[in-house]
Amino acid sequence: MLKILMVCGAGLGSSFACQMSVETVLKDLGVEAKLDHCDISSASGMNADIIISGKNFETQFKHYNIDATKIFLNKLVDKNEIKEKLIPVLKEKNVL
């Protein structure tokens, strides 16, 4: 099953809020995935297929060797932005 990880600085508030928005988008698309959230330093050990994080963390990810498709959002809970950026990745991974 596809694993999607939402990442923020502390792994609590904004990543969890993002996870709830991603759940809604995936449900609307009819896609099943295992979702989780964490802080940026824990992300490397989570073996995710897709990582979704804020645009403000994009440069920090360069310090970690994470083999996952990364999606960076301007607004973590904007379902339209999530859908717009997630659909091409889901198609690339033959999930949609």
Side-chain angles (χ1 to χ4, degrees), residues 16-36:
F16 183 62
C18 181
Q19 180 177 331
M20 292 189 300
S21 294
V22 171
E23 281 176 5
T24 302
V25 169
L26 291 174
K27 186 176 180 182
D28 290 346
L29 295 172
V31 173
E32 286 188 40
K34 183 178 185 315
L35 305 181
D36 205 353

Side-chain angles (χ1 to χ4, degrees), residues 59-71:
T59 56
Q60 292 182 22
F61 272 94
K62 293 177 179 155
H63 301 289
Y64 298 93
N65 186 21
I66 302 174
D67 186 30
T69 303
K70 295 165 202 71
I71 296 172

